[in-house]
Amino acid sequence: MDKGCWKLILLFLVLLVNMCAEASFSCHMIDFIKAVKQVEDEDAGLEPVAVLKRLRRVAGLNDGFIKFFLADGDSRGPELDANLTDYIRKVVHHRVLEDAREEGVVLTPDGTTVALKPLLLGIEAGLRSKNQGLYQLTLAKDLSLSLKHSSADTRRLGSDGCWDSLYSPQIFALSDRPSWLTTAQVNGGMDGLVLGTEVLSKSIRPLKLSSLLTEYYCHQLDSKGLDGAPRLISRRRRENFRGLVASPVLAGHVVKSVMLQEKLAGLSKMEAKKKKQLMAVVKEGMKEFVHLYMDCPPIIPRCMWGAEPYRGTPTNLSLPLSSMYIHHTSSPSKPCLTFQQCSADMRSMQRFHQEDRGWDDIGYSFVAGSDGNIYEGRGWHWQGAHTLGHNSKGYGVSFIGDYVASLPSQHSMALVRDQLASCAVGGGRLVPSFILQGHRQVVNTSCPGDALYEEIKGWEHFEVCRNTCKQADVIWL
């Protein structure tokens, strides 16, 4: 073989090695934890706070606001491997690009997307006992920016999106117009606040940052679901956050955050009139924040569970609706305990509804898993195919599993009974006096199972069938 061929083969091997090195880490929390462990292994004696400072230095998180609370990142220690350095910069440095791609975020095992910057800053603030600045560092700064700079063309809160792959995620694209504060930033801020508060109160003192992240994000549920799960896991972020933060307190920190940013920028002290206007904007914005992230449950969008497109043209609902109908799936007959299994169940039901029954889409409006999530079916705006003769009047919400003889987990029932219902009313999708009924009350069926039907009789808004309810003469499972 001549020299030219050997050079080509060598070049190919070098390129292949580089490609493999770049692909060794994806934008998944498990891969980020592996990267953190690699940083820890570089120096076995590093304390978690030193690891966090090193990550902050590598990612370039040293603006004036951060320095005010945490000083400079750690500049000591050996230089990290080039590929590891590039990866940390990529997954920690947050930004939203013009094409609506959001960088600096990772997919977590629970199916949600988290921005790493507020997560890491919150944990570091707690480890360094920076109680005064904890709220600002984890959430209030980004929230203050969203409220200050919102306009008719830019949403203040709530943009979420989808990954190019759930197995080796690399690109996260927002599904709607970019907002000043995305759902991934809020999730990261909540997790940073929760974990930062825990380490600040010394209820946990992690020996390794990688271990703390693993226990929080990678806990596997047993047959009891979240009913038997520990308190400090990512699936409980919203309830933990609600337990820590009252909205007036957070609103006050947002105002302080704006004033501090202006002070650090060398601006003169805020006038009383301007401060009053700012407080009014923050008060209004906090209503939106509380509704989206404290009243509403986590909802997994269609693209995240792998939904096929709607076949045909959806019929839009005329909101607000007057009813909510409770179902069980019967098949799948077992509760799903992971995002992966619940997503597979959603795809299975959609195939059955589209292929076997010839419907345009999965019939339900929403589906409750036992993994801590609500899954979007036809959603808030599209008419479903869940309750014959009543699809235009209400939302059909189903629990994954057969509940003839047993009940869904208490946690998943609370997601529907308390949070999804509250979210629907607060968002103008259900009337405040809405009626809640079991599927069997308006259609000739055993759904939602004897045990679950007896349970929902005790729920608020439950009503027996009125004169306007008529029994259909078909079984509609």
Side-chain angles (χ1 to χ4, degrees):
M1 189 177 292
D2 62 30
K3 274 187 171 182
C5 286
W6 276 114
K7 286 182 178 179
L8 286 174
I9 292 173
L10 183 60
L11 178 61
F12 173 76
L13 290 174
V14 170
L15 289 172
L16 185 62
V17 169
N18 286 337
M19 287 172 63
C20 290
E22 291 174 2
S24 62
F25 290 116
S26 71
C27 294
H28 197 287
M29 178 60 78
I30 291 175
D31 278 335
F32 177 68
I33 293 172
K34 289 178 183 176
V36 170
K37 192 171 187 313
Q38 197 168 322
V39 173
E40 292 169 338
D41 291 343
E42 293 279 342
D43 185 344
L46 280 181
E47 294 287 328
V49 69
V51 174
L52 285 159
K53 289 170 67 177
R54 187 162 298 180
L55 292 172
R56 182 155 55 90
R57 173 177 61 83
V58 171
L61 303 184
N62 274 311
D63 62 33
F65 193 88
I66 294 171
K67 287 181 179 179
F68 181 84
F69 293 103
L70 299 178
D72 290 329
D74 186 10
S75 60
R76 296 169 297 171
E79 289 297 319
L80 299 178
D81 172 80
N83 285 325
L84 181 59
T85 297
D86 290 342
Y87 173 74
I88 292 171
R89 286 176 182 154
K90 174 186 175 183
V91 294
V92 176
H93 181 68
H94 184 271
R95 60 178 180 166
V96 177
L97 304 179
E98 290 184 0
D99 61 358
R101 279 185 296 142
E102 185 174 9
E103 296 184 341
V105 298
V106 296
L107 174 64
T108 66
D110 65 23
T112 55
T113 299
V114 167
L116 289 174
K117 175 182 173 181
L119 166 67
L120 298 177
L121 292 176
I123 297 172
E124 185 178 348
L127 285 169
R128 297 177 65 176
S129 301
K130 298 293 183 180
N131 188 33
Q132 181 185 5
L134 188 59
Y135 293 97
Q136 289 94 327
L137 284 169
T138 53
L139 192 56
K141 181 188 176 186
D142 290 330
L143 184 53
S144 68
L145 289 172
S146 73
L147 300 179
K148 275 183 65 180
H149 299 290
S150 58
S151 67
D153 299 324
T154 307
R155 298 173 63 197
R156 290 189 294 204
L157 302 168
S159 292
D160 205 347
C162 285
W163 289 93
D164 58 336
S165 167
L166 297 181
Y167 304 100
S168 182
Q170 298 291 347
I171 298 173
F172 185 73
L174 297 173
S175 304
D176 203 344
R177 298 193 316 272
S179 56
W180 277 96
L181 188 63
T182 67
T183 293
Q185 288 175 281
V186 174
N187 287 338
M190 286 182 174
D191 289 346
L193 176 59
V194 168
L195 290 174
T197 302
E198 292 290 334
V199 297
L200 175 65
S201 65
K202 295 183 173 55
S203 61
I204 54 172
R205 297 304 289 178
L207 296 176
K208 295 285 185 182
L209 175 62
S210 58
S211 299
L212 174 66
L213 297 175
T214 298
E215 291 173 10
Y216 185 73
Y217 288 106
C218 304
H219 177 81
Q220 294 188 357
L221 301 177
D222 61 20
S223 59
K224 295 180 181 179
L226 278 169
D227 290 354
R231 177 181 60 85
L232 197 63
I233 58 174
S234 63
R235 290 179 177 90
R236 295 189 182 277
R237 70 166 58 84
R238 293 195 183 198
E239 59 192 87
N240 284 327
F241 182 79
R242 285 195 301 271
L244 287 173
V245 180
S247 58
V249 174
L250 183 57
H253 280 290
V254 171
V255 173
K256 291 177 183 177
S257 173
V258 175
M259 296 173 68
L260 175 59
Q261 290 172 68
E262 294 195 355
K263 179 181 178 181
L264 293 173
L267 301 178
S268 56
K269 187 176 180 180
M270 188 179 292
E271 297 177 356
K273 182 179 179 181
K274 185 179 178 182
K275 184 177 179 180
K276 187 176 180 180
Q277 292 172 340
L278 172 63
M279 292 176 69
V281 171
V282 170
K283 184 177 180 181
E284 186 63 30
M286 285 306 302
K287 291 180 183 178
E288 183 181 349
F289 179 86
V290 168
H291 170 70
L292 284 174
Y293 299 109
M294 299 175 79
D295 292 340
C296 292
I299 298 176
I300 301 295
R302 292 169 60 89
C303 56
M304 283 295 289
W305 58 261
E308 291 293 320
Y310 190 100
R311 295 179 178 178
T313 302
T315 299
N316 286 325
L317 292 164
S318 179
L319 305 180
L321 304 183
S322 60
S323 301
M324 178 183 286
Y325 303 105
I326 301 299
H327 300 247
H328 73 163
T329 64
S330 183
S331 178
S333 61
K334 294 182 179 180
C336 57
L337 298 171
T338 66
F339 162 66
Q340 292 76 15
Q341 183 58 55
C342 293
S343 295
D345 287 346
M346 291 294 292
R347 294 192 296 271
S348 174
M349 286 187 285
Q350 187 187 41
R351 281 194 302 272
F352 176 67
H353 288 175
Q354 288 184 321
E355 301 298 334
D356 291 43
R357 292 195 165 169
W359 298 349
D360 295 330
D361 197 4
I362 188 171
Y364 307 118
S365 306
F366 295 95
V367 178
S370 293
D371 64 331
N373 291 320
I374 298 291
Y375 288 78
E376 180 187 29
R378 299 206 190 184
W380 296 119
H381 301 290
W382 293 353
Q383 181 174 305
H386 46 78
T387 311
L388 185 63
H390 296 75
N391 293 316
S392 64
K393 302 174 184 178
Y395 293 112
V397 182
S398 189
F399 290 86
I400 293 179
D402 185 325
Y403 297 107
V404 172
S406 62
L407 287 174
S409 69
Q410 292 297 320
H411 190 277
S412 62
M413 288 193 292
L415 282 181
V416 173
R417 180 189 62 232
D418 303 330
Q419 290 186 261
L420 188 65
S422 174
C423 182
V425 172
R429 295 143 181 158
L430 273 179
V431 297
S433 58
F434 75 91
I435 296 169
L436 183 143
Q437 293 180 317
H439 189 191
R440 64 173 63 182
Q441 291 177 260
V442 291
V443 173
N444 184 22
T445 176
S446 62
C447 179
D450 293 346
L452 182 55
Y453 180 62
E454 288 302 313
E455 165 69 23
I456 67 172
K457 285 182 178 180
W459 291 10
E460 186 180 4
H461 295 282
F462 178 84
E463 277 202 22
V464 296
C465 198
R466 292 178 172 182
N467 293 331
T468 54
C469 299
K470 296 179 180 178
Q471 295 291 327
D473 57 1
V474 297
I475 294 179
W476 202 259
L477 294 176

